Amino acid sequence: MNAPPRGRDLGLMSCHVCRLVTAWTEEPHAVCPRCGSPLHARKTGSITRAWALLLAAALFYIPANVFPIMRTQSLSSKDDNTILSGIVELWRAGSPGLAVIVFTASIIVPMLKFIILGYLLVSVQRSSGFVSRQRTKLYRFVELVGYWSMLDVFVVAILSALVHFKILSRVEPLPGVVYFGVVVVLTMLSAMSFDPRLIWDNRKTSQ
Amino acid sequence: MAAASRLEGMQTAQDLIICEHCDSVYRRRTLARGDVADCVVCGAVLERHQWIGVEGQFALVVTSAIVFLIANLSPIVTLGLSGMSSATTLWGAVIAMWRDGAQLVAFLTAMTLFFFPLSQIAIFGWVLWFARSGRRAPGFARAMWALVSIKPWSMIEVFMLGTLVAVVKAHTYFDVVPGAGIWAFGVLTLLITVFSSLDSRELWTVTREDPA
């Protein structure tokens, strides 16, 4: 089967907000005739923005993992947990299934986001024509799973609100959780800034 | 495709759809129930058959509004420890984070679990109310923009899973009694799954500008 034509080659583009197809324009102040949103053929400053946000996220990811995210206090003990030690505790407490879920959401997903977005950005900058379809799929995967990393942040929020038994037992959030929340937001913004059409635009060898 | 030369002009533009992930141009097809149009080049979903009509969508939004109210007013879980008990709502969690020095997290929690979902329900309800008679609500364009922008930042389903993890963690040391809130969040998660198969942007094609 023949590949369908591309919008860029036909002089067509579509509105980011309402998807109306309009004539191609590079004019910076063009607006969609139907919904009035600014029209961009491609997301503006896609690669620079995506890189900046991704690097910022990677930087914040260090304190997010090094600093404890939660303090559990009881009469006799004070226990600070990082993301990783919280997972180990969950495993030991007899919920290996949930430990795996939290490990996936808090460790694997952010790591995958760094690796995949980094790879997509480098490959686009090098005008790679290699496995474009698979790279677009990787992008969709990052978009789909991105926000599940908020899991640990919400767990700390609920526990902090629930475990409030004066001096007997208390749970408090610690700075790690703030850094982690920032990481999730930054990686989501980075993925949103990336324009997957660049994977197809920049190919050196067009098939 | 040979159609390329006939694609000129805005007249035909209404029947075209461009893949958002690879810029391939297609003619829209009428989809049958359960059909999903995928891009043959990159595999992205172009559009889905809107299996729930405008009336049905409106009913779903009203349902979501009621469930959302219950989810926010009822305690999610109650913990017991030697005769004492402690319950929390979603806002209890927000306030706890704020007081304990994690204001940024409190803000994120309030936005992603309360304000964004609330706006989605309110705005979608507003445009659907008018769309039932084929009209575009006042502020339609801005409302549609808001729906598209808010969507990725609404995280009810993540919170649902977070609650389960928290319950299991707390279960080791406390008696845990699930409240009405956790069921309401569960139902909301199901409703979100239904909404995710709908594309609000279709409202542009099923409504007309008010003649007035």
Side-chain angles (χ1 to χ4, degrees):
Chain A
M1 182 182 169
N2 279 336
R6 298 195 70 225
R8 190 173 65 163
D9 303 332
L10 296 180
L12 295 172
M13 57 194 247
S14 77
C15 170
H16 283 308
V17 176
C18 75
R19 294 196 88 176
L20 178 74
V21 176
T22 60
W24 179 282
T25 170
E26 307 264 357
E27 215 258 296
H29 300 297
V31 290
C32 171
R34 184 161 76 176
C35 75
S37 314
L39 284 177
H40 305 290
R42 296 292 179 262
K43 294 176 187 170
T44 29
S46 171
I47 293 177
T48 325
R49 278 185 201 180
W51 263 129
L53 290 161
L54 190 68
L55 290 178
L59 220 59
F60 277 106
Y61 192 60
I62 300 166
N65 277 284
V66 172
F67 290 151
I69 57 167
M70 188 172 89
R71 168 169 295 169
T72 318
Q73 230 169 350
S74 67
L75 275 178
S76 53
S77 69
K78 188 155 81 173
D79 192 12
D80 289 356
N81 266 320
T82 60
I83 291 174
L84 206 57
S85 73
I87 295 168
V88 172
E89 202 164 85
L90 200 57
W91 181 282
R92 290 218 183 109
S95 323
L98 274 183
V100 169
I101 292 177
V102 179
F103 182 73
T104 309
S106 306
I107 311 273
I108 298 182
V109 168
M111 288 302 232
L112 277 180
K113 281 201 281 193
F114 293 134
I115 296 168
I116 293 176
L117 281 173
Y119 166 64
L120 289 178
L121 284 163
V122 168
S123 69
V124 162
Q125 281 174 314
R126 298 183 58 195
S127 310
S128 163
F130 182 62
V131 292
S132 303
R133 185 185 169 96
Q134 283 73 10
R135 281 188 287 147
T136 320
K137 282 191 171 161
L138 279 180
Y139 174 71
R140 279 198 289 279
F141 171 78
V142 167
E143 271 209 315
L144 186 77
V145 298
Y147 71 127
W148 282 96
S149 305
M150 281 299 264
L151 186 67
D152 244 346
V153 176
F154 293 151
V155 171
V156 174
I158 300 163
L159 285 177
S160 307
L162 271 179
V163 185
H164 248 275
F165 297 100
K166 301 197 178 85
I167 53 158
L168 272 183
S169 185
R170 276 211 64 180
V171 167
E172 281 170 52
L174 291 173
V177 78
V178 181
Y179 289 109
F180 196 72
V182 172
V183 169
V184 180
V185 171
L186 287 174
T187 49
M188 283 177 70
L189 288 172
S190 172
M192 285 174 194
S193 312
F194 182 76
D195 197 328
R197 283 166 294 201
L198 297 179
I199 296 174
W200 303 87
D201 283 348
N202 294 4
R203 286 171 301 173
K204 254 181 268 170
T205 47
S206 53
Q207 288 114 344
Chain B
M1 275 173 204
S5 57
R6 291 189 276 120
L7 298 183
E8 307 298 320
M10 291 293 287
Q11 211 86 74
T12 49
Q14 296 273 354
D15 319 323
L16 297 178
I17 191 159
I18 301 185
C19 174
E20 291 169 296
H21 285 168
C22 71
D23 203 30
S24 298
V25 184
Y26 296 90
R27 258 177 211 296
R28 274 174 189 268
R29 282 201 209 143
T30 321
L31 299 176
R33 194 184 170 82
D35 278 357
V36 179
D38 287 335
C39 173
V40 293
V41 177
C42 78
V45 172
L46 290 171
E47 53 179 345
R48 293 170 195 277
H49 172 67
Q50 302 292 293
W51 60 295
I52 301 176
V54 171
E55 293 279 354
Q57 293 185 28
F58 184 72
L60 272 178
V61 170
V62 173
T63 313
S64 308
I66 296 167
V67 179
F68 186 75
L69 197 73
I70 299 171
N72 275 285
L73 293 179
S74 342
I76 302 166
V77 263
T78 309
L79 288 194
L81 179 70
S82 51
M84 289 186 287
S85 77
S86 159
T88 189
T89 58
L90 172 59
W91 275 94
V94 173
I95 292 164
M97 293 305 261
W98 187 273
R99 285 206 186 132
D100 289 336
Q103 285 86 358
L104 194 63
V105 173
F107 171 77
L108 275 180
T109 312
M111 293 312 268
T112 55
L113 301 176
F114 183 80
F115 288 109
F116 290 148
L118 178 69
S119 324
Q120 276 184 304
I121 292 171
I123 297 170
F124 205 26
W126 169 254
V127 290
L128 282 171
W129 173 262
F130 286 89
R132 286 160 73 228
S133 49
R135 287 180 300 152
R136 285 181 187 172
F140 187 75
R142 204 170 299 169
M144 296 302 285
W145 170 82
L147 282 179
V148 172
S149 327
I150 292 172
K151 203 174 182 185
W153 299 102
S154 183
M155 306 187 179
I156 300 268
E157 57 275 41
V158 182
F159 182 70
M160 181 66 217
L161 189 59
T163 312
L164 292 180
V165 174
V167 163
V168 171
K169 281 196 168 185
H171 187 69
T172 327
Y173 309 99
F174 310 96
D175 308 318
V176 182
V177 184
I182 199 168
W183 300 113
F185 273 108
V187 175
L188 272 183
T189 304
L190 290 179
L191 284 167
I192 287 164
T193 318
V194 176
F195 277 115
S196 70
S197 67
L198 301 169
D199 192 344
S200 61
R201 293 175 294 193
E202 274 304 304
L203 287 178
W204 282 105
T205 48
V206 300
T207 57
R208 291 280 162 270
E209 205 77 62
D210 241 347

